[in-house]
Amino acid sequence: MPNSSYADIYQTLKARIDGGQWQAGTTLPSENELCTEFGVSRNTVRRALELLIDEGLIIRKPGIGSSVAARPGKRPGVPVIGLDLGTALERLPFYNRLLQTGTQEACARYGARLCLFNKEAMTEEAMESLSGFISVSTDPRQLPLLRNFVRSGKPVTVINRIPVQPELSWLSVDYEAEAAEMVGYALDMEFKRVAILGSCPGNEGFALRTVGWKKAFLERDLTPPTELMLESSKAFQESEMQQFLAEQRPEAIFVTAGEFMNFLLVAGMRLNSCFFDDVLVMCFDDFSELEAWRSIPIAFIQMPLREMAEAAVRHIVEYPDRPQPLRRIMKSRFVFNAGCLALNRKRGK
């Protein structure tokens, strides 16, 4: 399993314990051995081991290593909550890690135990012992499994998606409204050429951010400039991005997802080392903890991921007494860094 994420490693090691391959008292392979087996860094292995420690499945002995706890497994009366983050955690630090941290904190507050899942681990047998399930995905291939899980009397809460299946609970932001508000801010500040990176057609999920971009123009009796749209397939290519920036010369850029931001950074800097001095970047993901963007004018949407996790965990813990679906639209925060404020002053706004 080369280049695994720590969630994959966690699932593999957990399966060895739950399946009896590693009995109570068994000493786990050393961190170096696990690094070699999974083709990852020691930090990645340690994060996987920390999850197993948090679940009480293993114990760490200084100078000796980690071993399987004497009585691993589910503790009587403790809710066990499954969490599927959908995408490799390392690729989305601004989203999945925040959601996972929020879920871990909420589980600690409500006395629940958290189990991380990936798509391969999501089976009826593996999910049978769970009290509830939290997912960021509405993958059609997973929906039958999730719906059967709900029919068994256990709740499923989907984060930042609004599934059409009435039995599924959900917590989400309003993608269209939030995008329209952010782009509208740039237009009201008299940024004339407001581009969108990562546009895509449709009326759900990420596509709603494109709908919101267009809506901001229409609400101001302006025609959405189609020449300032770079579709998502091209936004992953630095050459396409660089050509787009050179030809269109946007004054502000609305980025629909954080995955595109590194491509934008590289393309802009290669085009001109001062490219971002006079360009406002707006992103629909939280970049508050990413150092590379702190010197660049950037506004971003800070989704209430910890609050969503809190509400989802509480819903699952209380579900036996309140067996009703949870459906809620939650509001994001707009955050402007110092570079963004400096750019506004420079423009005299």
Side-chain angles (χ1 to χ4, degrees), residues 171-320:
L171 296 159
S172 181
V173 299
D174 188 328
Y175 285 114
E176 179 181 335
E178 304 273 19
E181 186 174 348
M182 174 163 272
V183 175
Y185 161 81
L187 293 173
D188 292 341
M189 294 296 291
E190 300 183 8
F191 287 90
K192 302 297 184 184
R193 296 180 61 75
V194 183
I196 178 172
L197 301 185
S199 64
C200 58
N203 59 359
E204 60 182 33
F206 285 109
L208 287 175
R209 304 176 188 190
T210 304
V211 175
W213 176 82
K214 294 178 179 179
K215 181 179 180 181
F217 286 91
L218 296 173
E219 288 177 339
R220 291 158 178 81
D221 296 323
L222 301 171
T223 301
T226 55
E227 73 277 8
L228 292 179
M229 300 175 67
L230 184 67
E231 61 190 52
S232 57
S233 60
K234 294 182 178 180
F236 281 117
Q237 303 175 41
E238 291 172 13
S239 58
E240 293 279 358
M241 179 87 74
Q242 188 170 334
Q243 181 179 350
F244 174 79
L245 297 176
E247 292 178 352
Q248 299 302 331
R249 296 290 177 180
E251 298 177 5
I253 302 171
F254 174 60
V255 186
T256 59
E259 296 99 304
F260 305 123
M261 291 289 279
N262 283 339
F263 295 93
L264 171 61
L265 178 62
V266 172
M269 296 299 288
R270 286 182 175 175
L271 189 65
N272 185 333
S273 61
C274 300
F275 178 83
F276 292 103
D277 288 357
D278 298 308
V279 176
L280 172 65
V281 177
M282 302 172 290
C283 184
F284 210 108
D285 273 312
D286 186 348
F287 271 65
S288 58
E289 297 182 7
L290 299 185
E291 293 285 343
W293 288 93
R294 292 195 175 180
S295 62
I296 291 172
I298 179 172
F300 54 86
I301 287 179
Q302 199 170 61
M303 288 185 277
L305 297 175
R306 279 188 167 87
E307 292 85 347
M308 288 178 173
E310 167 91 19
V313 170
R314 180 177 179 180
H315 172 63
I316 291 171
V317 171
E318 296 180 349
Y319 191 81

Side-chain angles (χ1 to χ4, degrees), residues 94-103 105-106 109 134 136 157-161 170-175 178 209 284-286 288 300-313 326 328-335:
F94 41 79
Y95 187 89
N96 283 358
R97 288 182 188 171
L98 292 174
L99 183 58
Q100 180 186 332
T101 299
T103 306
E105 293 171 348
R109 280 193 293 273
I134 302 171
V136 299
T157 301
V158 181
I159 302 294
N160 270 334
R161 299 288 184 273
W170 53 264
L171 296 159
S172 181
V173 299
D174 188 328
Y175 285 114
E178 304 273 19
R209 304 176 188 190
F284 210 108
D285 273 312
D286 186 348
S288 58
F300 54 86
I301 287 179
Q302 199 170 61
M303 288 185 277
L305 297 175
R306 279 188 167 87
E307 292 85 347
M308 288 178 173
E310 167 91 19
V313 170
L326 172 67
R328 187 183 306 167
I329 292 290
M330 303 181 73
K331 189 72 177 71
S332 299
R333 295 174 60 239
F334 290 171
V335 180

